[in-house]
Amino acid sequence: MHAAFIVGMAGSGKSVLTATLRDHLRLTEQDVVTLNLDPGATVLPYSPDVDVRSFVDIQKLMDDYELGPNGALLMATDLAADNLEEIKEAIEETGSDLVLVDTPGQIELFAFRNSGLCISRALTDDLKAVVYVLDSPFCRDPLNYISNMFLAAAVYNRLLLPQVYALAKADLTTVEEIDQMLGWAEDVEQLELALEDRIGKTASIIAKELARAISGVGLFPEPIAVSAKEETGIVELYAALTRTLTAGEELRP
Ligand SMILES: Nc1nc2c(ncn2[C@@H]2O[C@H](COP(=O)(O)OP(=O)(O)OP(=O)(O)O)[C@@H](O)[C@H]2O)c(=O)[nH]1
Ligand SMILES: [Mg+2]
């Protein structure tokens, strides 16, 4: 079974995108399941086939160990890794071709801690990729866009999985704004100019150098504009994901 890890900053649209991708794939008769890896999720826009919350109870951890919400999330993620075999079995039992993994809003829980790395490595031996979700209304500010470039590069550096980029919530931005962001991805000089306009030539030196380094190694190719709400760009995103996972072949293990 192949795996796509949906990763992105808090509130970027990961869970809604997971739901929409799943619904789209099921409509096209793809065999897909969802795994919720966010122990702190209260309400999800889909009903996960396998749910980390069945293995760890964040409220109980807070009560038993007198932890705050973030400490409990850290502990819950480590405990989830301890339950990896059970989680893996539950996913394998579904016999699906693809698992969409909805990761926690606190990106560091999944991407930077050992437990997340263990889960990403051991969940399946088949092909894996990251769908890195950027919040379009947030990223139309070049400073936020570049912060997401850094974060996506840091996630890559840690997980070493191929990445596909989704410009989520495209319905909340104008076509011009989306085009501008696509232009930044295509031509780093456009991003450098936008950064200079935004914070000035001197203040943008480090950001520009880092952007150049990230795009220079080909780490941040053009994102795909999607709206999970309006169901646009989903076909294109899935096509990019398939290309990344299997060089364009149908997803069959
Ligand atoms: N207009 C619009 N809103 C969206 C879209 N996708 C998500 N949202 C909204 O953005 C908010 C966050 O969406 P989620 O999918 O919960 O984001 P998340 O990244 O899973 O959030 P955390 O798990 O808390 O980090 C919700 O209010 C969604 O309804 C979209 O395509 N269009
Ligand atoms: Mg979520």
Side-chain angles (χ1 to χ4, degrees), residues 14-15 38 44 102-103:
K14 300 176 292 294
S15 299
D38 185 354
L44 286 173
D102 186 11
T103 67

Side-chain angles (χ1 to χ4, degrees), residues 88-187:
K88 211 173 147 180
E89 263 169 39
I91 291 169
E92 278 166 2
E93 269 169 23
T94 66
S96 278
D97 299 330
L98 174 67
V99 57
L100 299 174
V101 186
D102 186 11
T103 67
Q106 290 78 354
I107 201 166
E108 69 275 18
L109 284 182
F110 177 69
F112 303 145
R113 287 185 66 86
N114 267 342
S115 45
L117 187 65
C118 284
I119 294 172
S120 80
R121 286 212 177 128
L123 195 61
T124 166
D125 297 328
D126 282 319
L127 302 168
K128 288 170 273 207
V130 164
V131 176
Y132 186 89
V133 182
L134 302 108
D135 184 324
S136 300
F138 181 68
C139 288
R140 61 191 159 192
D141 179 335
L143 271 181
N144 295 338
Y145 181 92
I146 202 163
S147 299
N148 268 281
M149 273 178 90
F150 302 161
L151 212 43
V155 170
Y156 178 79
N157 190 44
R158 186 79 173 134
L159 302 182
L160 293 175
L161 292 175
Q163 297 184 334
V164 176
Y165 305 94
L167 268 180
K169 309 185 196 174
D171 58 291
L172 297 178
T173 52
T174 64
V175 174
E176 291 75 28
E177 286 167 337
I178 290 288
D179 283 348
Q180 188 173 47
M181 287 184 266
L182 296 180
W184 294 341
E186 199 183 343
D187 175 10

Side-chain angles (χ1 to χ4, degrees), residues 203-241:
S204 61
I205 286 174
I206 292 177
K208 287 189 296 191
E209 287 294 331
L210 287 168
R212 220 172 291 163
I214 293 169
S215 73
V217 291
L219 243 188
F220 205 84
E222 207 170 281
I224 292 146
V226 298
S227 165
K229 280 266 159 75
E230 296 186 345
E231 295 183 30
T232 53
I234 302 296
V235 173
E236 291 79 2
L237 180 66
Y238 181 62
L241 176 62

